[in-house]
């Protein structure tokens, strides 16, 4: 019997390249999956169609989750920005920080009281290794995902002993439509690995089922993340060749 048998799981970004296979795997594990996206989520038992970029819609969604709180909230929806930070439109930066950080914070705020009151629940935030190893030309994305890591740690400590767990997963790049043509060129130019989305989804589903705290995908990425926390200059030097290749290709 799965821990998720009969449980309600709400997933933002459930129609996306990672969200859809995660939704399918959790449904196969017995969960009733509620997708939250701008379109219907084919792998979900029901869908809340909404626009997370809209203040009114986000407020209504938060109210709905507060009054009808799922057993598990999974924040997968995200926005990528690539290119020189100085060239990014302010509106694009605002959307990146909003969807990647503000939305998970607002939705966690909505579900935490009910989860705490009943003594059970799980909040899952899907970050990125770029939050632990901030990359040039992904500055807004990296910093928003770094903020999501801090949000996850802070929530975990607030909810310690309440029966509510917080899971934070850092995938690497995945081969999905989330990456536009320029991002794919960047991956090719720098030799960065992009994972099969089905494999990423399986690791996320396992982290949810096992109620793991922090998961980072990729051995070298974990090593670089630890080095970056201890001595960022070492990582600066280690990335020089990749940065040089990217500058030659793009800038």
């Amino acid at each position: 019997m799965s821990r998720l048998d009969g449980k309600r799981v709400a997933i933002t970004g459930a129609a996306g390249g990672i969200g859809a296979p995660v939704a399918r795997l959790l449904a196969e594990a017995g969960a009733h999956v509620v997708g939250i996206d701008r379109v219907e989520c084919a792998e979900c038992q029901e869908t809340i169609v909404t626009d997370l970029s809209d203040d009114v819609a986000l407020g209504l969604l938060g109210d709905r989750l507060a009054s009808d709180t799922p057993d598990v909230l999974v924040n997968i929806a995200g926005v990528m920005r690539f290119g020189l930070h100085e060239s990014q439109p302010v509106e694009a930066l605002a959307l990146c920080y909003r969807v990647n950080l503000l939305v998970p914070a607002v939705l966690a705020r909505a579900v935490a009281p009910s989860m705490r009151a009943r003594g059970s629940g799980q909040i899952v935030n899907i970050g990125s290794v770029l939050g632990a190893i901030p990359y040039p030309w992904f500055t807004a994305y990296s910093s928003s995902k770094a903020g999501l890591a801090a949000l996850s740690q802070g929530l975990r400590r607030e909810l310690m002993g309440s029966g509510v767990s917080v899971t934070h997963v850092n995938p690497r790049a995945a081969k999905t439509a989330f990456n536009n043509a320029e991002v794919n060129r960047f991956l090719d130019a720098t030799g960065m690995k992009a994972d099969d989305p089905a494999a990423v989804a399986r690791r996320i589903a396992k982290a949810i089922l096992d109620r793991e705290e922090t998961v980072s995908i990729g051995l070298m990425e974990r090593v670089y993340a630890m080095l970056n926390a201890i001595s960022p200059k070492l990582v600066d030097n280690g990335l020089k060749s990749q940065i040089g290749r990217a500058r030659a290709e793009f800038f």
Side-chain angles (χ1 to χ4, degrees), residues 62-179:
D63 291 344
R64 180 169 178 172
L65 294 181
S67 62
D68 186 18
T69 302
D71 297 284
V72 183
L73 168 68
V74 186
N75 289 302
I76 296 180
V79 169
M80 172 78 79
R81 296 303 305 172
F82 172 75
L84 286 170
H85 187 70
E86 64 202 55
S87 70
Q88 302 297 320
V90 171
E91 296 80 6
L93 292 176
L95 181 64
C96 181
Y97 287 112
R98 177 191 180 91
V99 176
N100 295 350
L101 181 55
L102 177 64
V103 167
V106 168
L107 299 186
R109 173 184 179 274
V111 302
S114 294
M115 288 183 175
R116 186 199 298 274
R118 68 191 180 204
S120 67
Q122 185 178 15
I123 298 169
V124 182
N125 294 323
I126 306 305
S128 168
V129 295
L130 297 188
I133 314 165
Y135 251 74
W137 308 297
F138 293 91
T139 300
Y141 181 74
S142 291
S143 54
S144 67
K145 292 299 189 177
L148 187 63
L151 172 70
S152 301
Q153 288 182 4
L155 282 172
R156 184 180 300 122
R157 290 163 183 164
E158 280 190 18
L159 295 167
M160 194 180 298
S162 70
V164 183
S165 63
V166 178
T167 297
H168 177 232
V169 183
N170 288 323
R172 300 183 291 199
K175 298 172 185 175
T176 71
F178 190 65
N179 303 328

Side-chain angles (χ1 to χ4, degrees), residues 17-61:
I18 297 297
V22 169
R24 177 178 54 78
L25 289 168
L26 297 185
E28 289 174 355
H32 178 90
V33 181
V34 181
I36 301 168
D37 214 313
R38 292 176 295 178
V39 296
E40 290 289 331
C41 305
E43 302 288 353
C44 303
Q45 283 73 38
E46 62 179 288
T47 303
I48 300 172
V49 177
T50 191
D51 182 357
L52 297 175
S53 70
D54 180 79
D55 285 341
V56 173
L58 180 59
L60 291 172
L61 176 61

Side-chain angles (χ1 to χ4, degrees), residues 143-232:
S143 54
S144 67
K145 292 299 189 177
L148 187 63
L151 172 70
S152 301
Q153 288 182 4
L155 282 172
R156 184 180 300 122
R157 290 163 183 164
E158 280 190 18
L159 295 167
M160 194 180 298
S162 70
V164 183
S165 63
V166 178
T167 297
H168 177 232
V169 183
N170 288 323
R172 300 183 291 199
K175 298 172 185 175
T176 71
F178 190 65
N179 303 328
N180 62 23
E182 280 202 325
V183 171
N184 285 325
R185 279 176 57 210
F186 177 88
L187 295 175
D188 290 340
T190 57
M192 290 178 68
K193 182 177 176 58
D195 291 323
D196 173 36
V200 177
R202 287 194 297 271
R203 189 64 187 90
I204 292 171
K206 182 180 185 301
I208 294 170
L209 285 163
D210 294 347
R211 296 173 72 97
E212 295 181 75
E213 291 188 352
T214 302
V215 174
S216 292
I217 298 175
L219 175 59
M220 288 307 300
E221 285 78 6
R222 292 194 292 273
V223 171
Y224 264 72
M226 287 188 290
L227 286 174
N228 193 67
I230 297 168
S231 179

